[in-house]
Amino acid sequence: MKNMFFALTLLYTSLVSAQYWQQAVDYTIAVELDHETAQYEGTQSVVYTNNSPETLHKVFFHQYFNAFKPGSEMAIRLKNAGDKNGRFNVDIDSLSPKQQGFLKVSGLTQDGAKTTVVDSETILEVSLAKALAPGESTTFKMSFEGQVPDVIRRAGKNSKEGIAFSMAQWYPKMAEYDYEGWNADPYTGREFHGVWGDFDVKITLDKDFTVAASGYLQNADDIGRGYSDRKKAKSKKGKITWHYIAPNVHDFTWAADTDYIHDTYPGPNDVSLHFFYKNNPDIIENWKKLQPITTKLMEYFNEKIGPYPYKQYSVVHGGDGGMEYAMLTLITGNRKFGSLVGVTAHELAHSWFQHILATNETKHEWMDEGFTSFISTLAENEVLEENKEFPLAGSYRGYYG
Ligand SMILES: [Zn+2]
């Protein structure tokens, strides 16, 4: 077990063998959200490096929020697919214009030159102005506008538990190009696969909102969060900008609410744990009790898998799930204590399997979910001192089922 991480790394290296390569992408994003219309607009600069041995003539971006429109491929799949997900029983075709989501990209240039784009709902296909040879980098610039849908799956606005904005897969996101080619799958309601890089993100919105995000906050003093007093900042007028840097991740997610309590708690190895949860008297005690437990969970994973490589991790009360994201998780929060610990353990464990090893979840979901479920079940058994003789019995029951 101690050498699980090493063994997996070895397995990967040998599978992908001699010519392993990985694309790289760095984002600089500035986005402004109008909380009343749930619409946002922004600009994005993307520096993309082709580390593959092939010359690229096209690139692809995901536009995930376009799945939440009547007639979308996701809408059709939900109506017709045999493997319907019970947690996902929404009729997208019946969404009103305000409930729908969208993401539109405009003015996309490559190193200043115009490109030709084909918009196919959740995928944007870009024919390059100049082909990108192996080892070369190029810069894409674009504007985008979007609307946050109601919470359907993973992201959305105004959740049942009252979370205003859960912002996952919200920006034009570079598709991964790997040894299997372009992973430009339309979004029909499954998992994700992304390109590693650095994110510099500025989020502007009404001052009354507290933001929880991937990455490290750069201007805690400006926004009145020396992690203590948001009240002073809230007395300023208008909008404020939250500036984050997330190094070496393959995703950037955030959430915002006017009513978040924000606590920090010391994790192992100088990692700062952050907890954002709704100021709801029914849940506060559980969310306080969760904090020392999260430190113990991280200690367990550090020991059994390998040290968590970032200096921050946030457990965020969001609109759906749990779902794992870079340096944070969004989970629903009105849960019994055992369930709150269970979902936190599971999503935190994903930090190693989805956010360090980063297998292609769209194609091989079992790899990430399998290792995550295995280790988080064992962690829960130890940290909660459950002392079960066979903690994985539930997984076996599921498998037999
Ligand atoms: Zn999972």
Side-chain angles (χ1 to χ4, degrees):
M1 278 300 293
K2 267 213 170 129
N3 290 320
M4 192 159 134
F5 190 75
F6 177 70
L8 282 168
T9 311
L10 202 67
L11 175 74
Y12 265 52
T13 324
S14 55
L15 275 178
V16 189
S17 90
Q19 333 175 325
Y20 184 74
W21 48 269
Q22 203 174 41
Q23 303 298 71
V25 65
D26 295 322
Y27 292 85
T28 306
I29 306 176
V31 63
E32 183 165 344
L33 172 71
D34 178 337
H35 67 279
E36 280 169 352
T37 59
Q39 294 192 353
Y40 57 96
E41 50 184 45
T43 56
Q44 177 170 290
S45 168
V46 177
V47 180
Y48 185 61
T49 305
N50 178 18
N51 293 316
S52 85
E54 287 106 40
T55 296
L56 301 178
H57 299 274
K58 285 182 179 179
V59 299
F60 297 82
F61 287 87
H62 297 281
Q63 307 177 123
Y64 288 107
F65 277 7
N66 289 340
F68 305 108
K69 284 196 290 205
S72 71
E73 287 178 84
M74 184 188 271
I76 292 164
R77 180 179 173 277
L78 287 178
K79 282 212 167 107
N80 301 295
D83 61 339
K84 272 186 187 169
N85 185 331
R87 290 189 295 178
F88 197 5
N89 51 359
V90 181
D91 180 6
I92 292 178
D93 288 339
S94 69
L95 296 178
S96 73
K98 282 189 171 171
Q99 295 174 308
Q100 296 166 22
F102 65 77
L103 182 64
K104 268 185 230 154
V105 171
S106 57
L108 202 156
T109 59
Q110 179 197 5
D111 297 330
K114 260 186 92 175
T115 57
T116 312
V117 300
V118 179
D119 188 330
S120 306
E121 191 180 283
T122 58
I123 294 291
L124 187 74
E125 178 180 336
V126 183
S127 295
L128 299 184
K130 184 176 172 285
L132 190 61
E136 282 183 359
S137 294
T138 195
T139 302
F140 300 106
K141 288 196 172 160
M142 66 202 79
S143 301
F144 61 87
E145 55 183 315
Q147 177 170 297
V148 189
D150 279 10
V151 176
I152 296 169
R153 199 74 181 104
R154 304 309 186 203
K157 63 179 184 285
N158 306 329
S159 77
K160 282 192 188 114
E161 297 180 356
I163 304 298
F165 294 102
S166 300
M167 300 293 286
Q169 319 296 346
W170 55 279
Y171 55 95
K173 184 171 175 177
M174 179 65 78
E176 178 66 302
Y177 181 74
D178 61 18
Y179 69 103
E180 295 180 295
W182 280 104
N183 292 269
D185 307 284
Y187 183 44
T188 56
R190 287 291 173 181
E191 308 268 306
F192 308 99
H193 188 40
V195 193
W196 293 90
D198 297 337
F199 285 75
D200 181 315
V201 181
K202 288 185 174 135
I203 301 164
T204 301
L205 78 177
D206 186 274
K207 62 179 173 36
D208 286 343
F209 285 83
T210 294
V211 175
S214 300
Y216 307 107
L217 183 63
Q218 302 296 300
N219 60 336
D221 291 343
D222 298 354
I223 54 95
R225 197 178 77 178
Y227 291 126
S228 56
D229 193 2
R230 284 279 299 131
K231 272 188 194 140
K232 221 186 274 169
K234 284 185 182 184
S235 70
K236 287 184 201 164
K237 279 207 173 112
K239 291 189 171 183
I240 52 174
T241 298
W242 301 64
H243 180 201
Y244 294 89
I245 289 185
N248 209 10
V249 291
H250 63 74
D251 169 56
F252 188 97
T253 293
W254 56 285
D257 197 85
T258 52
D259 211 17
Y260 269 144
I261 295 176
H262 173 210
D263 296 332
T264 57
Y265 195 90
N269 302 345
D270 296 326
V271 172
S272 177
L273 298 176
H274 292 240
F275 297 83
F276 296 84
Y277 52 101
K278 197 88 184 162
N279 187 1
N280 165 357
D282 297 339
I283 67 167
I284 290 174
E285 191 190 334
N286 279 349
W287 276 79
K288 296 273 183 208
K289 270 162 53 187
L290 177 67
Q291 298 172 19
I293 296 275
T294 308
T295 294
K296 285 188 182 161
L297 289 167
M298 188 173 268
E299 277 166 1
Y300 185 92
F301 298 138
N302 281 349
E303 189 205 332
K304 301 293 185 192
I305 318 171
Y308 178 77
Y310 304 98
K311 286 292 167 203
Q312 181 183 306
Y313 184 79
S314 302
V315 183
V316 181
H317 191 174
D320 180 49
M323 180 65 189
E324 71 277 9
Y325 299 105
M327 301 173 70
L328 65 74
T329 177
L330 301 184
I331 61 173
T332 52
N334 300 1
R335 295 165 177 265
K336 293 203 167 107
F337 186 62
S339 164
L340 190 65
V341 172
V343 71
T344 304
H346 180 90
E347 305 309 337
L348 175 59
H350 271 301
S351 296
W352 282 262
F353 298 104
Q354 181 50 23
H355 290 282
I356 299 176
L357 287 177
T359 46
N360 183 348
E361 286 184 300
T362 324
K363 281 191 174 161
H364 315 293
E365 194 177 351
W366 66 272
M367 292 189 79
D368 169 38
E369 289 302 333
F371 286 116
T372 296
S373 301
F374 175 76
I375 198 77
S376 64
T377 306
L378 297 181
E380 239 184 292
N381 188 55
E382 176 155 316
V383 166
L384 293 178
E385 295 174 11
E386 290 175 334
N387 301 316
K388 286 182 188 158
E389 192 179 353
F390 186 38
L392 296 164
S395 302
Y396 276 84
R397 274 197 300 275
Y399 173 69
Y400 293 139

